[in-house]
PDB file of all heavy atoms in Angstrom:
ATOM      1  N   TYR A  92      84.858  65.660  82.886  1.00  0.00           N
ATOM      2  CA  TYR A  92      85.586  66.764  82.577  1.00  0.00           C
ATOM      3  C   TYR A  92      86.651  67.081  83.690  1.00  0.00           C
ATOM      4  O   TYR A  92      87.797  67.431  83.286  1.00  0.00           O
ATOM      5  CB  TYR A  92      84.763  67.970  82.215  1.00  0.00           C
ATOM      6  CG  TYR A  92      85.501  69.141  81.475  1.00  0.00           C
ATOM      7  CD1 TYR A  92      85.707  68.958  80.176  1.00  0.00           C
ATOM      8  CD2 TYR A  92      85.881  70.200  82.134  1.00  0.00           C
ATOM      9  CE1 TYR A  92      86.425  69.971  79.463  1.00  0.00           C
ATOM     10  CE2 TYR A  92      86.479  71.249  81.447  1.00  0.00           C
ATOM     11  CZ  TYR A  92      86.763  71.049  80.106  1.00  0.00           C
ATOM     12  OH  TYR A  92      87.449  72.097  79.411  1.00  0.00           O
ATOM     13  N   ALA A  93      86.230  66.969  84.819  1.00  0.00           N
ATOM     14  CA  ALA A  93      87.128  67.220  85.920  1.00  0.00           C
ATOM     15  C   ALA A  93      88.372  66.268  85.894  1.00  0.00           C
ATOM     16  O   ALA A  93      89.413  66.854  86.029  1.00  0.00           O
ATOM     17  CB  ALA A  93      86.410  67.075  87.267  1.00  0.00           C
ATOM     18  N   ARG A  94      88.135  65.153  85.568  1.00  0.00           N
ATOM     19  CA  ARG A  94      89.320  64.122  85.419  1.00  0.00           C
ATOM     20  C   ARG A  94      90.203  64.626  84.268  1.00  0.00           C
ATOM     21  O   ARG A  94      91.424  64.554  84.289  1.00  0.00           O
ATOM     22  CB  ARG A  94      88.837  62.730  85.224  1.00  0.00           C
ATOM     23  CG  ARG A  94      88.203  62.110  86.551  1.00  0.00           C
ATOM     24  CD  ARG A  94      88.017  60.597  86.379  1.00  0.00           C
ATOM     25  NE  ARG A  94      86.855  60.288  85.407  1.00  0.00           N
ATOM     26  CZ  ARG A  94      85.700  60.277  85.912  1.00  0.00           C
ATOM     27  NH1 ARG A  94      85.357  60.439  87.114  1.00  0.00           N
ATOM     28  NH2 ARG A  94      84.600  59.996  84.984  1.00  0.00           N
ATOM     29  N   MET A  95      89.624  64.925  83.175  1.00  0.00           N
ATOM     30  CA  MET A  95      90.335  65.351  82.029  1.00  0.00           C
ATOM     31  C   MET A  95      91.204  66.633  82.363  1.00  0.00           C
ATOM     32  O   MET A  95      92.376  66.809  81.788  1.00  0.00           O
ATOM     33  CB  MET A  95      89.487  65.830  80.867  1.00  0.00           C
ATOM     34  CG  MET A  95      90.098  66.046  79.528  1.00  0.00           C
ATOM     35  SD  MET A  95      88.980  66.535  78.335  1.00  0.00           S
ATOM     36  CE  MET A  95      88.526  68.211  78.807  1.00  0.00           C
ATOM     37  N   MET A  96      90.794  67.540  83.258  1.00  0.00           N
ATOM     38  CA  MET A  96      91.480  68.724  83.615  1.00  0.00           C
ATOM     39  C   MET A  96      92.583  68.436  84.634  1.00  0.00           C
ATOM     40  O   MET A  96      93.188  69.373  85.003  1.00  0.00           O
ATOM     41  CB  MET A  96      90.545  69.761  84.141  1.00  0.00           C
ATOM     42  CG  MET A  96      89.697  70.452  83.106  1.00  0.00           C
ATOM     43  SD  MET A  96      88.629  71.756  83.717  1.00  0.00           S
ATOM     44  CE  MET A  96      89.866  72.973  84.126  1.00  0.00           C
ATOM     45  N   GLY A  97      92.602  67.264  85.090  1.00  0.00           N
ATOM     46  CA  GLY A  97      93.542  66.894  86.164  1.00  0.00           C
ATOM     47  C   GLY A  97      93.077  67.123  87.637  1.00  0.00           C
ATOM     48  O   GLY A  97      93.918  67.249  88.442  1.00  0.00           O
ATOM     49  N   TYR A  98      91.818  67.332  87.783  1.00  0.00           N
ATOM     50  CA  TYR A  98      91.342  67.555  89.077  1.00  0.00           C
ATOM     51  C   TYR A  98      91.578  66.493  90.030  1.00  0.00           C
ATOM     52  O   TYR A  98      91.492  65.275  89.762  1.00  0.00           O
ATOM     53  CB  TYR A  98      89.778  67.725  89.035  1.00  0.00           C
ATOM     54  CG  TYR A  98      89.057  67.863  90.366  1.00  0.00           C
ATOM     55  CD1 TYR A  98      89.022  68.976  91.056  1.00  0.00           C
ATOM     56  CD2 TYR A  98      88.530  66.656  90.952  1.00  0.00           C
ATOM     57  CE1 TYR A  98      88.447  68.988  92.334  1.00  0.00           C
ATOM     58  CE2 TYR A  98      87.928  66.594  92.221  1.00  0.00           C
ATOM     59  CZ  TYR A  98      87.922  67.879  92.878  1.00  0.00           C
ATOM     60  OH  TYR A  98      87.254  67.777  94.167  1.00  0.00           O
ATOM     61  N   ARG A  99      92.047  66.867  91.267  1.00  0.00           N
ATOM     62  CA  ARG A  99      92.104  65.903  92.411  1.00  0.00           C
ATOM     63  C   ARG A  99      91.451  66.622  93.556  1.00  0.00           C
ATOM     64  O   ARG A  99      91.480  67.790  93.780  1.00  0.00           O
ATOM     65  CB  ARG A  99      93.547  65.645  92.724  1.00  0.00           C
ATOM     66  CG  ARG A  99      94.411  64.784  91.605  1.00  0.00           C
ATOM     67  CD  ARG A  99      95.623  64.156  92.267  1.00  0.00           C
ATOM     68  NE  ARG A  99      96.538  65.111  92.922  1.00  0.00           N
ATOM     69  CZ  ARG A  99      97.583  65.693  92.318  1.00  0.00           C
ATOM     70  NH1 ARG A  99      97.747  65.470  91.020  1.00  0.00           N
ATOM     71  NH2 ARG A  99      98.319  66.517  92.955  1.00  0.00           N
ATOM     72  N   PRO A 100      90.799  65.779  94.478  1.00  0.00           N
ATOM     73  CA  PRO A 100      90.066  66.370  95.525  1.00  0.00           C
ATOM     74  C   PRO A 100      91.181  67.210  96.397  1.00  0.00           C
ATOM     75  O   PRO A 100      92.070  66.635  96.847  1.00  0.00           O
ATOM     76  CB  PRO A 100      89.468  65.291  96.316  1.00  0.00           C
ATOM     77  CG  PRO A 100      89.339  64.178  95.276  1.00  0.00           C
ATOM     78  CD  PRO A 100      90.567  64.288  94.392  1.00  0.00           C
ATOM     79  N   PRO A 101      90.855  68.435  96.714  1.00  0.00           N
ATOM     80  CA  PRO A 101      91.772  69.251  97.501  1.00  0.00           C
ATOM     81  C   PRO A 101      91.555  68.910  99.011  1.00  0.00           C
ATOM     82  O   PRO A 101      90.534  68.252  99.418  1.00  0.00           O
ATOM     83  CB  PRO A 101      91.447  70.670  97.223  1.00  0.00           C
ATOM     84  CG  PRO A 101      89.940  70.634  96.802  1.00  0.00           C
ATOM     85  CD  PRO A 101      89.789  69.335  96.048  1.00  0.00           C
ATOM     86  N   PRO A 102      92.422  69.270  99.812  1.00  0.00           N
ATOM     87  CA  PRO A 102      92.199  69.128 101.193  1.00  0.00           C
ATOM     88  C   PRO A 102      91.057  69.878 101.734  1.00  0.00           C
ATOM     89  O   PRO A 102      90.508  70.840 101.155  1.00  0.00           O
ATOM     90  CB  PRO A 102      93.473  69.675 101.886  1.00  0.00           C
ATOM     91  CG  PRO A 102      94.074  70.626 100.882  1.00  0.00           C
ATOM     92  CD  PRO A 102      93.733  70.090  99.565  1.00  0.00           C
ATOM     93  N   GLU A 103      90.474  69.360 102.846  1.00  0.00           N
ATOM     94  CA  GLU A 103      89.472  70.160 103.524  1.00  0.00           C
ATOM     95  C   GLU A 103      89.912  71.521 103.971  1.00  0.00           C
ATOM     96  O   GLU A 103      91.130  71.689 104.281  1.00  0.00           O
ATOM     97  CB  GLU A 103      88.935  69.406 104.747  1.00  0.00           C
ATOM     98  CG  GLU A 103      88.200  68.150 104.543  1.00  0.00           C
ATOM     99  CD  GLU A 103      86.842  68.402 103.844  1.00  0.00           C
ATOM    100  OE1 GLU A 103      85.928  69.126 104.537  1.00  0.00           O
ATOM    101  OE2 GLU A 103      86.572  67.981 102.712  1.00  0.00           O
ATOM    102  N   PRO A 104      89.076  72.597 103.823  1.00  0.00           N
ATOM    103  CA  PRO A 104      89.590  73.963 104.102  1.00  0.00           C
ATOM    104  C   PRO A 104      90.147  74.086 105.588  1.00  0.00           C
ATOM    105  O   PRO A 104      89.590  73.376 106.470  1.00  0.00           O
ATOM    106  CB  PRO A 104      88.324  74.748 104.047  1.00  0.00           C
ATOM    107  CG  PRO A 104      87.424  73.985 103.104  1.00  0.00           C
ATOM    108  CD  PRO A 104      87.684  72.590 103.480  1.00  0.00           C
ATOM    109  N   GLU A 105      91.233  74.792 105.701  1.00  0.00           N
ATOM    110  CA  GLU A 105      91.741  75.063 107.015  1.00  0.00           C
ATOM    111  C   GLU A 105      90.811  75.978 107.778  1.00  0.00           C
ATOM    112  O   GLU A 105      90.959  76.074 109.009  1.00  0.00           O
ATOM    113  CB  GLU A 105      93.191  75.553 106.873  1.00  0.00           C
ATOM    114  CG  GLU A 105      93.325  76.967 106.122  1.00  0.00           C
ATOM    115  CD  GLU A 105      94.684  77.455 106.141  1.00  0.00           C
ATOM    116  OE1 GLU A 105      95.723  76.628 106.199  1.00  0.00           O
ATOM    117  OE2 GLU A 105      94.861  78.608 105.822  1.00  0.00           O
ATOM    118  N   ALA A 106      90.119  76.751 107.075  1.00  0.00           N
ATOM    119  CA  ALA A 106      89.175  77.783 107.604  1.00  0.00           C
ATOM    120  C   ALA A 106      88.187  78.238 106.579  1.00  0.00           C
ATOM    121  O   ALA A 106      88.593  78.111 105.297  1.00  0.00           O
ATOM    122  CB  ALA A 106      89.843  79.023 108.291  1.00  0.00           C
ATOM    123  N   PHE A 107      87.040  78.803 106.944  1.00  0.00           N
ATOM    124  CA  PHE A 107      86.153  79.286 105.985  1.00  0.00           C
ATOM    125  C   PHE A 107      86.160  80.764 105.887  1.00  0.00           C
ATOM    126  O   PHE A 107      86.542  81.427 106.809  1.00  0.00           O
ATOM    127  CB  PHE A 107      84.782  78.802 106.339  1.00  0.00           C
ATOM    128  CG  PHE A 107      84.421  77.437 106.280  1.00  0.00           C
ATOM    129  CD1 PHE A 107      84.221  76.644 107.335  1.00  0.00           C
ATOM    130  CD2 PHE A 107      84.485  76.663 105.028  1.00  0.00           C
ATOM    131  CE1 PHE A 107      83.951  75.186 107.177  1.00  0.00           C
ATOM    132  CE2 PHE A 107      84.264  75.408 104.838  1.00  0.00           C
ATOM    133  CZ  PHE A 107      83.976  74.596 105.961  1.00  0.00           C
ATOM    134  N   LEU A 108      85.891  81.232 104.586  1.00  0.00           N
ATOM    135  CA  LEU A 108      85.837  82.690 104.398  1.00  0.00           C
ATOM    136  C   LEU A 108      84.423  83.113 104.731  1.00  0.00           C
ATOM    137  O   LEU A 108      83.472  82.367 104.314  1.00  0.00           O
ATOM    138  CB  LEU A 108      86.048  83.029 103.022  1.00  0.00           C
ATOM    139  CG  LEU A 108      87.560  82.567 102.415  1.00  0.00           C
ATOM    140  CD1 LEU A 108      87.606  82.906 100.877  1.00  0.00           C
ATOM    141  CD2 LEU A 108      88.627  83.285 103.179  1.00  0.00           C
ATOM    142  N   THR A 109      84.270  84.190 105.528  1.00  0.00           N
ATOM    143  CA  THR A 109      82.958  84.589 105.986  1.00  0.00           C
ATOM    144  C   THR A 109      82.654  86.091 105.673  1.00  0.00           C
ATOM    145  O   THR A 109      83.614  86.844 105.491  1.00  0.00           O
ATOM    146  CB  THR A 109      82.806  84.382 107.467  1.00  0.00           C
ATOM    147  OG1 THR A 109      83.815  85.241 108.169  1.00  0.00           O
ATOM    148  CG2 THR A 109      82.918  83.018 107.891  1.00  0.00           C
ATOM    149  N   ASP A 110      81.426  86.439 105.405  1.00  0.00           N
ATOM    150  CA  ASP A 110      81.073  87.748 105.111  1.00  0.00           C
ATOM    151  C   ASP A 110      81.551  88.706 106.165  1.00  0.00           C
ATOM    152  O   ASP A 110      81.376  88.611 107.309  1.00  0.00           O
ATOM    153  CB  ASP A 110      79.599  87.812 104.841  1.00  0.00           C
ATOM    154  CG  ASP A 110      79.140  89.239 104.321  1.00  0.00           C
ATOM    155  OD1 ASP A 110      79.746  89.673 103.395  1.00  0.00           O
ATOM    156  OD2 ASP A 110      78.204  89.759 104.973  1.00  0.00           O
ATOM    157  N   GLY A 111      82.172  89.841 105.613  1.00  0.00           N
ATOM    158  CA  GLY A 111      82.624  90.887 106.510  1.00  0.00           C
ATOM    159  C   GLY A 111      83.946  90.539 107.221  1.00  0.00           C
ATOM    160  O   GLY A 111      84.420  91.367 108.005  1.00  0.00           O
ATOM    161  N   GLN A 112      84.489  89.396 106.931  1.00  0.00           N
ATOM    162  CA  GLN A 112      85.718  88.994 107.674  1.00  0.00           C
ATOM    163  C   GLN A 112      86.881  89.910 107.369  1.00  0.00           C
ATOM    164  O   GLN A 112      87.090  90.200 106.019  1.00  0.00           O
ATOM    165  CB  GLN A 112      86.007  87.537 107.274  1.00  0.00           C
ATOM    166  CG  GLN A 112      87.354  86.976 107.807  1.00  0.00           C
ATOM    167  CD  GLN A 112      87.571  85.606 107.406  1.00  0.00           C
ATOM    168  OE1 GLN A 112      86.843  85.079 106.477  1.00  0.00           O
ATOM    169  NE2 GLN A 112      88.632  84.943 107.851  1.00  0.00           N
ATOM    170  N   ASP A 113      87.706  90.253 108.271  1.00  0.00           N
ATOM    171  CA  ASP A 113      88.969  90.865 108.025  1.00  0.00           C
ATOM    172  C   ASP A 113      90.137  89.874 108.023  1.00  0.00           C
ATOM    173  O   ASP A 113      90.325  89.168 109.072  1.00  0.00           O
ATOM    174  CB  ASP A 113      89.334  91.882 109.142  1.00  0.00           C
ATOM    175  CG  ASP A 113      88.434  93.147 109.046  1.00  0.00           C
ATOM    176  OD1 ASP A 113      88.157  93.707 107.949  1.00  0.00           O
ATOM    177  OD2 ASP A 113      87.825  93.496 110.097  1.00  0.00           O
ATOM    178  N   LEU A 114      90.675  89.648 106.903  1.00  0.00           N
ATOM    179  CA  LEU A 114      91.531  88.533 106.613  1.00  0.00           C
ATOM    180  C   LEU A 114      92.950  88.998 106.400  1.00  0.00           C
ATOM    181  O   LEU A 114      93.097  89.806 105.676  1.00  0.00           O
ATOM    182  CB  LEU A 114      91.101  87.715 105.393  1.00  0.00           C
ATOM    183  CG  LEU A 114      91.922  86.579 104.904  1.00  0.00           C
ATOM    184  CD1 LEU A 114      91.874  85.412 106.088  1.00  0.00           C
ATOM    185  CD2 LEU A 114      91.474  86.000 103.591  1.00  0.00           C
ATOM    186  N   GLU A 115      93.995  88.439 107.108  1.00  0.00           N
ATOM    187  CA  GLU A 115      95.242  88.646 106.792  1.00  0.00           C
ATOM    188  C   GLU A 115      95.827  87.499 106.003  1.00  0.00           C
ATOM    189  O   GLU A 115      95.670  86.290 106.417  1.00  0.00           O
ATOM    190  CB  GLU A 115      96.056  88.735 108.088  1.00  0.00           C
ATOM    191  CG  GLU A 115      97.559  89.364 107.923  1.00  0.00           C
ATOM    192  CD  GLU A 115      98.583  88.258 107.342  1.00  0.00           C
ATOM    193  OE1 GLU A 115      98.320  87.061 107.779  1.00  0.00           O
ATOM    194  OE2 GLU A 115      99.463  88.664 106.613  1.00  0.00           O
ATOM    195  N   ALA A 116      96.338  87.882 104.800  1.00  0.00           N
ATOM    196  CA  ALA A 116      96.867  86.769 103.965  1.00  0.00           C
ATOM    197  C   ALA A 116      98.126  87.198 103.270  1.00  0.00           C
ATOM    198  O   ALA A 116      98.133  88.161 102.554  1.00  0.00           O
ATOM    199  CB  ALA A 116      95.853  86.404 102.970  1.00  0.00           C
ATOM    200  N   ALA A 117      99.196  86.458 103.588  1.00  0.00           N
ATOM    201  CA  ALA A 117     100.528  86.803 102.911  1.00  0.00           C
ATOM    202  C   ALA A 117     100.889  88.312 102.938  1.00  0.00           C
ATOM    203  O   ALA A 117     101.449  88.893 102.062  1.00  0.00           O
ATOM    204  CB  ALA A 117     100.476  86.350 101.396  1.00  0.00           C
ATOM    205  N   GLY A 118     100.630  88.865 104.201  1.00  0.00           N
ATOM    206  CA  GLY A 118     101.029  90.313 104.479  1.00  0.00           C
ATOM    207  C   GLY A 118      99.920  91.276 104.012  1.00  0.00           C
ATOM    208  O   GLY A 118     100.153  92.456 104.179  1.00  0.00           O
ATOM    209  N   LEU A 119      98.886  90.840 103.506  1.00  0.00           N
ATOM    210  CA  LEU A 119      97.763  91.844 103.052  1.00  0.00           C
ATOM    211  C   LEU A 119      96.714  91.818 103.953  1.00  0.00           C
ATOM    212  O   LEU A 119      96.263  90.761 104.579  1.00  0.00           O
ATOM    213  CB  LEU A 119      97.274  91.308 101.676  1.00  0.00           C
ATOM    214  CG  LEU A 119      98.335  91.289 100.542  1.00  0.00           C
ATOM    215  CD1 LEU A 119      97.530  90.875  99.256  1.00  0.00           C
ATOM    216  CD2 LEU A 119      98.892  92.701 100.281  1.00  0.00           C
ATOM    217  N   ALA A 120      96.034  92.846 104.135  1.00  0.00           N
ATOM    218  CA  ALA A 120      94.830  93.057 104.898  1.00  0.00           C
ATOM    219  C   ALA A 120      93.653  93.029 103.941  1.00  0.00           C
ATOM    220  O   ALA A 120      93.541  94.045 103.136  1.00  0.00           O
ATOM    221  CB  ALA A 120      94.747  94.381 105.737  1.00  0.00           C
ATOM    222  N   LEU A 121      92.854  91.910 103.869  1.00  0.00           N
ATOM    223  CA  LEU A 121      91.773  91.783 102.956  1.00  0.00           C
ATOM    224  C   LEU A 121      90.464  91.816 103.732  1.00  0.00           C
ATOM    225  O   LEU A 121      90.296  91.371 104.865  1.00  0.00           O
ATOM    226  CB  LEU A 121      91.901  90.491 102.150  1.00  0.00           C
ATOM    227  CG  LEU A 121      93.225  90.270 101.376  1.00  0.00           C
ATOM    228  CD1 LEU A 121      93.213  88.847 100.859  1.00  0.00           C
ATOM    229  CD2 LEU A 121      93.399  91.298 100.351  1.00  0.00           C
ATOM    230  N   LYS A 122      89.427  92.302 103.159  1.00  0.00           N
ATOM    231  CA  LYS A 122      88.004  92.214 103.503  1.00  0.00           C
ATOM    232  C   LYS A 122      87.356  91.293 102.664  1.00  0.00           C
ATOM    233  O   LYS A 122      87.368  91.260 101.437  1.00  0.00           O
ATOM    234  CB  LYS A 122      87.356  93.557 103.443  1.00  0.00           C
ATOM    235  CG  LYS A 122      85.896  93.630 103.861  1.00  0.00           C
ATOM    236  CD  LYS A 122      85.578  93.342 105.383  1.00  0.00           C
ATOM    237  CE  LYS A 122      85.882  94.630 106.186  1.00  0.00           C
ATOM    238  NZ  LYS A 122      85.492  94.543 107.614  1.00  0.00           N
ATOM    239  N   VAL A 123      86.612  90.349 103.287  1.00  0.00           N
ATOM    240  CA  VAL A 123      85.808  89.217 102.630  1.00  0.00           C
ATOM    241  C   VAL A 123      84.357  89.861 102.391  1.00  0.00           C
ATOM    242  O   VAL A 123      83.748  90.242 103.432  1.00  0.00           O
ATOM    243  CB  VAL A 123      85.832  88.015 103.318  1.00  0.00           C
ATOM    244  CG1 VAL A 123      84.992  86.958 102.567  1.00  0.00           C
ATOM    245  CG2 VAL A 123      87.268  87.454 103.419  1.00  0.00           C
TER     246      VAL A 123
END
Side-chain angles (χ1 to χ4, degrees):
Y92 193 74
R94 285 190 291 272
M95 186 182 75
M96 288 185 66
Y98 168 86
R99 294 200 301 271
E103 288 291 297
E105 64 178 19
F107 291 114
L108 301 173
T109 60
D110 185 46
Q112 176 184 7
D113 291 314
L114 174 68
E115 192 284 328
L119 299 177
L121 303 174
K122 173 73 77 174
V123 179

